[in-house]
Amino acid sequence: MKNNPIIWADYPDPDIIRVEDTYYMISTTMHFMPGCVILRSFDLIHWEVATHVYDILDGTPEQRLEGEKHIYGKGMWAASLRYHEGKFYVCFVANDTHKTYLYTATDINGPWRKQYIEGFYHDSSLLFDDDGRIYIIYGNNEIYLTELKKDFSGPKPGGLHRLIVKEKQEFYLGYEGAHLYKINGKYYAFFIHITKASGGRRTQACFVADSLEGEFVGGDVFNDDMGYHNSGVAQGGIVNTPNGKWYAVLFQDHGAVGRIPVIVPLHFENDFPVFQKRAPHFIEITSTRPGYKYKSLVGDDDFIYELDESGQVHLKDFWQWNHTPDPRLWSVTEKPGTYRIKSGKLSTNVVYAVNTLTQRAMGPASEAIVTLDGKGLRNGDYAGLCFLISTYALIALTKENDQYYLVMLARDAYDKNMFGKNEIDTKAGKEYARIPVEGSRITLKAYGNFVDNADECEFYYLNGSQWSKLGVTYKMVYKLDMFVGCRFGLFLFSTKEIGGTAEFSRFRYNILE
């Protein structure tokens, strides 16, 4: 038996398919690169990274974190993942470029071909109908169905285009997060919404029609928070196993660690989906490949890499950069065993630092340890280990008047409400502690506790053979300005002059019970 939620980390807006014996799940990655992660499983419970659909999306100034430009809270959202006649299809919008993207590949590992679909289709879902026609469903509050051209370049002239579902209750969030299926000749459209009647809890809805021209009829099909802070489990895809059992993979808000996937059994009665009344806290599903050994979704790195045939370096698949990286300013091959960053712009805080290398934080608690050599820092530089979230906190080695200091900084959370004051600011972080240190080499640790939305982080440095805490225990708050769960990050930013360097080695990741 496995704990449910199935992954205690930020994998929101899941869509899921099965191709023969293999399940694939896609998730929102917003501003992180490489982006659009697809996970793989053989039992719907244990997962590993199969691929990232793209390394760089469009490389806009905002996506590259130029100056004070950024795409926090934007980027790619809520992708639709489909497999049809030997080809994978990934469709999503980016809320910074306001474009709709379609990526296709015959192999999950790519290469992925990129194109644009004319129009903007919020939280879309693709449908390949039996007659060869292609549709996209999308929207918020008002849900539309549009037929697409065969080449996916845009809406089909004269094709079907209609409003199929409209929110009729008083709501905080109207119907969105569409997932459309054809099962046994009927059409099923699933949505998330938050009505005032639900007391602010997310719920899952489904509407069913006999044809795409017919009336879609339905309502809420699942309303459960697993006893967790009125945090409703909703939005995601459904999939069947080879032996015909059906499951939904949805998500649940879990504070600063993010929106985490939950699996819920369901079945069909009279051609309508019936979800298990409560999401199980433990679940077991027969594997299609018993004994398969999964790669970890997070992990250690000694930064020993070699160039591939094209002269490129591919980091381990649990790493993602905050925004598009600048390849001129980082290396893992110049000094084997070292992740080296060079600063190329001035930044007031870690949020604007280019080439911050991240991994998702994991519950119930997790810690990251890394050794930093700051001999290349310049006055006004900060390099270290952070929890990257809008209410960030960090431990950093800095240099002032050629003296090294170790500092703990954090951002003022303003309030403790995810819907409260939300803005990415350019203010310097608040300094909670500062101590002088001798030498430039030091080992750092960041610890996060996510049990019951504690969302507390602490920072330590290795003092001889003992860990010494620096600064305060800091409360992180998940907010909509970044709209992602917190991550461990290795960073460097300069406040006075560019050109400084930082070297990180021997990264260790521990998931703690």
Side-chain angles (χ1 to χ4, degrees):
M1 301 289 282
K2 178 73 167 55
N3 287 340
N4 195 26
I6 50 177
I7 307 173
W8 202 334
D10 192 49
Y11 289 93
D13 308 325
D15 198 11
I16 188 165
I17 60 172
R18 177 174 59 84
V19 180
E20 297 178 349
D21 72 340
T22 307
Y23 304 98
Y24 297 104
M25 179 170 67
I26 200 164
S27 176
T28 294
T29 50
M30 292 200 174
H31 48 272
F32 292 105
M33 308 287 174
C36 204
V37 67
I38 298 178
L39 304 185
R40 171 174 46 226
S41 177
F42 300 103
D43 61 6
L44 290 172
I45 297 171
H46 303 88
W47 294 88
E48 66 182 7
V49 174
T51 192
H52 290 90
V53 173
Y54 57 82
D55 289 325
I56 296 171
L57 190 53
D58 285 324
T60 65
E62 290 79 10
Q63 291 172 12
R64 295 197 302 266
L65 270 180
E66 289 189 4
E68 295 177 359
K69 297 176 180 178
H70 63 82
I71 60 165
Y72 289 118
K74 299 179 182 177
M76 69 79 62
W77 279 18
S80 174
L81 174 62
R82 293 292 179 261
Y83 182 79
H84 180 68
E85 295 183 349
K87 185 180 289 188
F88 292 94
Y89 295 80
V90 171
C91 179
F92 62 87
V93 298
N95 289 278
D96 54 311
T97 62
H98 298 283
K99 294 178 180 178
T100 301
Y101 300 76
L102 180 72
Y103 283 83
T104 56
T106 55
D107 187 284
I108 197 68
N109 296 310
W112 289 88
R113 176 181 176 268
K114 173 185 175 182
Q115 71 178 84
Y116 302 100
I117 303 175
E118 179 188 351
F120 185 81
Y121 306 93
H122 173 75
D123 280 13
S124 60
S125 178
L126 291 176
L127 175 72
F128 295 87
D129 211 345
D130 301 332
D131 58 6
R133 297 165 75 178
I134 306 163
Y135 301 90
I136 190 167
I137 182 178
Y138 57 96
N140 169 260
N141 182 24
E142 295 183 342
I143 305 298
Y144 285 88
L145 175 77
T146 297
E147 187 174 356
L148 297 177
K149 296 178 184 178
K150 294 285 188 182
D151 64 0
F152 291 91
S153 60
K156 179 181 177 181
L160 184 64
H161 173 73
R162 61 181 294 241
L163 175 69
I164 61 170
V165 175
K166 182 175 181 178
E167 185 72 74
K168 296 180 180 179
Q169 303 180 63
E170 292 187 8
F171 61 87
Y172 298 106
L173 175 70
Y175 291 125
E176 67 171 18
H179 293 260
L180 181 63
Y181 304 91
K182 187 175 186 180
I183 303 171
N184 296 329
K186 291 186 179 293
Y187 298 87
Y188 297 83
F190 292 87
F191 311 102
I192 186 176
H193 67 160
I194 306 175
T195 65
K196 292 187 177 180
S198 72
R201 178 189 293 182
R202 300 178 190 268
T203 58
Q204 183 78 2
C206 181
F207 289 78
V208 184
D210 294 327
S211 73
L212 293 179
E213 294 81 9
E215 181 183 5
F216 279 79
V217 178
D220 279 0
V221 291
F222 188 66
N223 181 355
D224 181 38
D225 70 346
M226 302 183 74
Y228 195 83
H229 300 281
N230 198 41
S231 182
V233 176
Q235 187 170 338
I238 66 170
V239 69
N240 64 346
T241 65
N243 61 8
K245 293 184 178 180
W246 284 92
Y247 296 91
V249 179
L250 313 174
F251 77 76
Q252 182 180 42
D253 287 286
H254 265 246
V257 82
R259 297 176 288 169
I260 70 179
V262 175
I263 192 164
V264 183
L266 67 122
H267 64 280
F268 288 84
E269 292 182 9
N270 300 318
D271 296 322
F272 196 78
V274 178
F275 282 63
Q276 184 169 306
K277 186 174 178 60
R278 297 284 180 260
H281 288 272
F282 300 93
I283 193 163
E284 185 173 12
I285 299 172
T286 301
S287 174
T288 59
R289 295 194 191 182
Y292 181 84
K293 302 298 182 182
Y294 292 86
K295 296 179 295 182
S296 177
L297 293 173
V298 295
D300 303 340
D301 201 343
D302 287 319
F303 299 114
I304 304 294
Y305 290 92
E306 296 182 357
L307 300 177
D308 64 16
E309 295 178 354
S310 61
Q312 303 296 313
V313 171
H314 296 278
L315 299 183
K316 294 182 179 180
D317 54 23
F318 43 60
W319 290 115
Q320 286 178 289
W321 278 282
N322 177 26
H323 287 62
T324 302
D326 187 336
R328 302 169 302 170
L329 302 175
W330 72 271
S331 175
V332 289
T333 56
E334 289 177 3
K335 183 178 179 181
T338 300
Y339 174 59
R340 175 181 286 168
I341 319 176
K342 182 177 181 179
S343 75
K345 73 169 190 176
L346 298 183
S347 305
T348 53
N349 60 48
V350 70
V351 167
Y352 295 97
V354 176
N355 292 343
T356 297
L357 194 59
T358 76
Q359 290 194 45
R360 291 169 178 82
M362 280 269 190
S366 51
E367 66 180 16
I369 300 170
V370 71
T371 297
L372 165 67
D373 192 333
K375 64 178 177 294
L377 294 181
R378 298 187 178 183
N379 288 322
D381 286 356
Y382 291 79
L385 181 60
C386 70
F387 276 103
L388 184 62
I389 189 171
S390 60
T391 54
Y392 64 81
L394 61 88
I395 187 170
L397 189 67
T398 188
K399 195 174 185 182
E400 279 190 21
N401 298 322
D402 297 324
Q403 166 67 49
Y404 288 104
Y405 297 90
L406 198 60
V407 298
M408 184 248 170
L409 304 175
R411 179 192 174 187
D412 185 349
Y414 301 121
D415 57 60
K416 305 302 181 184
N417 184 348
M418 67 181 288
F419 299 104
K421 184 175 181 180
N422 287 289
E423 60 182 30
I424 301 296
D425 64 38
T426 58
K427 298 177 183 177
K430 179 179 178 180
E431 188 172 299
Y432 284 90
R434 171 182 289 251
I435 58 171
V437 293
E438 296 298 325
S440 62
R441 187 174 177 88
I442 194 163
T443 298
L444 308 173
K445 178 169 71 172
Y447 164 81
N449 171 25
F450 306 103
V451 175
D452 199 29
N453 284 6
D455 297 340
E456 294 176 338
C457 63
E458 297 174 343
F459 298 93
Y460 299 83
Y461 63 97
L462 197 58
N463 187 4
S465 60
Q466 302 294 320
W467 289 109
S468 295
K469 183 179 177 180
L470 185 70
V472 301
T473 299
Y474 182 74
K475 172 78 172 182
M476 296 176 286
V477 181
Y478 182 100
K479 284 184 169 289
L480 299 186
D481 48 8
M482 277 197 184
F483 215 170
V484 293
C486 66
R487 294 182 175 222
F488 295 106
L490 308 179
F491 67 88
L492 164 67
F493 65 94
S494 296
T495 64
K496 294 182 179 179
E497 61 175 314
I498 65 172
T501 60
E503 296 179 348
F504 296 91
S505 60
R506 202 172 185 275
F507 181 89
R508 294 294 179 265
Y509 194 119
N510 300 311
I511 301 173
L512 308 172
E513 297 298 330

